[in-house]
Amino acid sequence: MRAPAFWREDGATARLLSPLGALYDAIARKRLAREAPRANLPTIVIGGLTAGGDGKTPLAIALARRLKAAGERPALLTRGYRRRRGGTSSFVVDLTRHGADEIGDEALLLARVAPTIVGADRLASADLAQRLGATVVILDDGFHSRRVAPDLTLIVIDSDYGAGNSRCIPAGPLRAPLDAQLAAADIL
């Protein structure tokens, strides 16, 4: 799916959809502000300002590689975007058994670098990572859900796209109001 062209400009379509964007804005602002439980491991959360394509997964991979080179044992946590495998239990990606159609392509990319756990319950996934011997967890695209409190939050920004027209979905590409996202980030 491609982002609509009007997300780049503040034209008539964006203004027409702005009441829905304002509703999305209010809900997303509350989600970003809510308290989340802490994992038992240091937690790095990676997020993006806009819907899709910011480069979160490549950053998660690069960060996992750097942590491994520094002697850490990172585990990558993901919901398994576009996965078909049902259930709510967290599980470890097995490259010899799981395919992209079952768990999503991002999980397979992550699993090539470090142990990767797919699950909707991020705290349960972090607990599983700890049992597997991880020393740090990296949440690929965990910024907006606020299911686990971050110790460090990294926001990826597409240098070409930026914040688009600076409106929230569906009037624009933002997953939450720009000011709320920037306030919750440690590093851009």
Side-chain angles (χ1 to χ4, degrees):
M1 183 176 139
R2 290 188 174 264
F6 72 85
W7 278 6
R8 286 190 174 266
E9 56 194 46
D10 196 24
T13 304
R15 288 192 301 275
L16 181 66
L17 292 171
S18 66
L20 291 173
L23 177 63
Y24 194 95
D25 175 308
I27 293 167
R29 190 179 295 275
K30 284 183 183 179
R31 287 181 78 180
L32 275 177
R34 74 178 169 201
E35 293 293 320
R38 288 219 165 270
N40 291 325
L41 294 172
T43 302
I44 301 170
V45 173
I46 298 174
L49 297 178
T50 63
D54 289 314
K56 296 176 294 292
T57 299
L59 179 60
I61 289 169
L63 184 57
R65 286 184 174 142
R66 290 226 172 187
L67 287 167
K68 284 173 72 172
E72 295 294 333
R73 293 182 312 278
L76 294 152
L77 310 184
T78 180
R79 289 184 56 93
Y81 180 67
R82 292 191 180 174
R83 70 181 169 128
R84 287 191 205 161
R85 181 173 173 170
T88 58
S89 298
S90 298
F91 62 93
V92 179
V93 173
D94 180 342
L95 291 171
T96 64
R97 288 188 16 225
H98 298 123
D101 60 331
E102 183 181 14
I103 63 168
D105 58 348
E106 289 176 351
L108 292 178
L109 290 171
L110 296 169
R112 292 180 184 159
V113 177
T116 299
I117 300 167
V118 175
D121 184 337
R122 300 292 180 99
L123 196 56
S125 294
D127 289 344
L128 177 56
Q130 184 178 26
R131 290 193 304 273
L132 294 173
T135 59
V136 58
V137 292
I138 303 168
L139 278 71
D140 181 16
D141 200 13
F143 178 61
H144 296 93
S145 68
R146 291 295 194 215
R147 298 292 181 196
V148 177
D151 292 301
L152 180 66
T153 301
L154 306 172
I155 296 295
V156 183
I157 302 171
D158 181 322
S159 63
D160 176 55
Y161 197 68
N165 64 12
S166 297
R167 292 183 183 267
C168 283
I169 297 169
L174 292 181
R175 295 173 70 179
L178 188 57
D179 64 328
Q181 291 188 81
L182 295 178
D186 295 308
I187 298 173
L188 303 175

